[in-house]
Amino acid sequence: MIVLGIESSCDDTSVAVYDSERGVLSNVVSSQLIHANFGGVYPEIAAREHTKNFLPVLDKALKDAKMSLKDVDAVACTFMPGLIVSLVVGVSAAKSLSFAAEKPLIPVHHIEAHIFANFLVKEIEYPFLALVVSGGHTELVLVKDFEDYVYIGGTLDDAVGEVFDKVARALDLGFPGGPFIDRLAQQGKEVIKFPRPLVSEKGENRFNFSFSGLKTAVIKEIRKGIYSKEDIAASFQNAIIETLLKKTLDACNEFNVNRVVIAGGVSANSKLREEVSKIKDIEFYYPPLYLCTDNAAMVAYTGYKRFVKYGKGVDLSFEAKARLRIDKFPQLLRDFHS
């Protein structure tokens, strides 16, 4: 089966072709570098760039895969969550292609696509815990099976990637901030013990995250001008990674799982990968770098898994939504198909 995947949830326009027998045949990503001028994603500009970039990206993806639209068996697209103005562009394109080519339309949740990007490299045994860390998301999800998700916790304020971006902006490093902080931290050392938010929490926020206060503490130190950028970056990054891993390991113990999938753009962080390599008795998985950030290959693959399960797509009335938790998505599909 051949699935065309479309991803436009934020500022990357991506189209990919996945073949269930041969794997990923193409995965074209057009990144909107214009947002570096603003230190963050400007939604209206993102939507305009998606509109401008989609057809060239689609054309290249099909050419790279050495096929035409008529060779595709289904069209999969990220329907939620994300910037609604960006999602609408990709969803509209997917619906148009589905209608014009008479191909099934398969909706994909952005978070589950990130999680199952790992399966493009290696099949992972269920159940496992998913730590999703990106510019817009910080979530812990227990994955019992495909479409059987239990939401454990998430950020109460800023997402981890968002905090990387804001600290990088305060340090005048550039956008996106994650790679800049990662490289700079390798040249510094932890000279400030920044707070590890909620790591000792045993109540209702035991598996939730909160990074807004940490962000404020870091920016205050930057403004003091006492420590070098390298040392601040190292101190900040250590606080982030320690918080993520302590929460994750606590969840592993609570739910008796010994497999963890790390997904999303922050899964590319070298310090995070270094630290998980030191942890014994837990199997950690994370995707290759080209599958960490937003891409359509993960959407196409997840769409393939959904089509195998249902044997059909949805009709064109299925709508994009800016926000919907991953554990609510399977029920939405079941309600729609019933």
Side-chain angles (χ1 to χ4, degrees), residues 70-187:
K70 67 180 181 181
D71 300 312
V72 172
D73 297 309
V75 178
C77 180
T78 300
F79 270 71
M80 61 194 81
L83 294 176
I84 191 62
V85 291
S86 293
L87 284 168
V88 165
V89 177
V91 170
S92 298
K95 288 183 175 182
S96 299
L97 293 174
S98 171
F99 177 79
E102 299 182 329
K103 307 293 183 182
L105 177 65
I106 310 172
V108 172
H109 192 281
H110 184 69
I111 297 300
E112 68 174 350
H114 270 303
I115 292 171
F116 286 99
N118 286 272
F119 282 61
L120 285 167
V121 179
K122 179 181 177 62
E123 196 78 16
I124 300 169
E125 184 180 347
Y126 300 102
F128 58 81
L129 190 71
L131 171 65
V132 183
V133 279
S134 68
H137 304 277
T138 307
E139 298 179 13
L140 280 170
V141 181
L142 179 62
V143 180
K144 296 182 177 181
D145 203 340
F146 182 68
E147 288 198 356
D148 188 357
Y149 314 129
V150 179
Y151 179 87
I152 297 174
T155 182
L156 301 175
D157 38 61
D158 294 351
V160 63
E162 180 183 359
V163 176
F164 270 103
D165 290 339
K166 290 178 178 178
V167 169
R169 184 165 59 200
L171 287 169
D172 197 26
L173 297 179
F175 176 84
F180 289 104
I181 295 287
D182 193 1
R183 288 192 293 270
L184 195 64
Q186 295 174 28
Q187 304 167 37

Side-chain angles (χ1 to χ4, degrees), residues 32-326:
Q32 300 176 7
L33 301 179
I34 189 172
H35 299 289
N37 296 325
F38 310 107
V41 178
Y42 198 104
E44 184 178 351
I45 292 177
R48 293 177 181 178
E49 291 295 300
H50 283 305
T51 303
K52 181 179 71 175
N53 295 335
F54 180 75
L55 287 178
V57 170
L58 170 66
D59 184 60
K60 180 168 173 50
L62 290 172
K63 286 181 178 177
D64 287 353
K66 297 181 172 58
M67 61 180 56
S68 65
L69 190 59
K70 67 180 181 181
D71 300 312
V72 172
D73 297 309
V75 178
C77 180
T78 300
F79 270 71
M80 61 194 81
L83 294 176
I84 191 62
V85 291
S86 293
L87 284 168
V88 165
V89 177
V91 170
S92 298
K95 288 183 175 182
S96 299
L97 293 174
S98 171
F99 177 79
E102 299 182 329
K103 307 293 183 182
L105 177 65
I106 310 172
V108 172
H109 192 281
H110 184 69
I111 297 300
E112 68 174 350
H114 270 303
I115 292 171
F116 286 99
N118 286 272
F119 282 61
L120 285 167
V121 179
K122 179 181 177 62
E123 196 78 16
I124 300 169
E125 184 180 347
Y126 300 102
F128 58 81
L129 190 71
L131 171 65
V132 183
V133 279
S134 68
H137 304 277
T138 307
E139 298 179 13
L140 280 170
V141 181
L142 179 62
V143 180
K144 296 182 177 181
D145 203 340
F146 182 68
E147 288 198 356
D148 188 357
Y149 314 129
V150 179
Y151 179 87
I152 297 174
T155 182
L156 301 175
D157 38 61
D158 294 351
V160 63
E162 180 183 359
V163 176
F164 270 103
D165 290 339
K166 290 178 178 178
V167 169
R169 184 165 59 200
L171 287 169
D172 197 26
L173 297 179
F175 176 84
F180 289 104
I181 295 287
D182 193 1
R183 288 192 293 270
L184 195 64
Q186 295 174 28
Q187 304 167 37
K189 57 183 181 297
E190 185 171 12
V191 296
I192 313 165
K193 193 69 173 181
F194 285 121
R196 273 62 171 165
L198 299 181
V199 292
S200 300
E201 175 68 37
K202 297 302 179 185
E204 62 179 355
N205 288 320
R206 179 179 174 186
F207 300 116
N208 286 329
F209 301 88
S210 174
F211 294 113
S212 180
L214 171 60
K215 172 195 67 183
T216 301
V218 175
I219 291 176
K220 284 183 177 178
E221 289 296 337
I222 293 171
R223 289 173 177 169
K224 289 179 184 178
I226 299 173
Y227 301 104
S228 69
K229 290 185 177 182
E230 291 81 2
D231 288 345
I232 288 178
S235 301
F236 161 67
Q237 183 168 263
N238 285 356
I240 287 282
I241 302 306
E242 184 178 331
T243 301
L244 291 174
L245 292 182
K246 281 191 173 182
K247 292 276 188 177
T248 301
L249 293 177
D250 188 20
C252 285
N253 291 329
E254 177 68 19
F255 296 96
N256 194 30
V257 293
N258 62 356
R259 287 175 291 274
V260 175
V261 164
I262 306 177
V266 181
S267 66
N269 182 273
S270 65
K271 181 65 174 177
L272 177 59
R273 295 186 176 213
E274 176 189 338
E275 292 304 312
V276 300
S277 70
K278 302 175 184 177
I279 299 173
K280 308 301 181 185
D281 303 322
I282 302 289
E283 299 174 24
F284 282 90
Y285 302 90
Y286 41 78
L289 294 179
Y290 75 96
L291 291 177
C292 290
T293 51
D294 292 349
N295 67 90
M298 65 185 191
V299 176
Y301 175 77
T302 308
Y304 160 71
K305 289 180 71 69
R306 177 148 294 124
F307 190 82
V308 168
K309 178 170 183 172
Y310 289 97
K312 61 180 179 179
V314 297
D315 65 43
L316 299 184
S317 65
F318 201 86
E319 297 180 353
K321 293 181 183 292
R323 289 286 178 267
L324 186 71
R325 255 176 29 187
I326 183 175

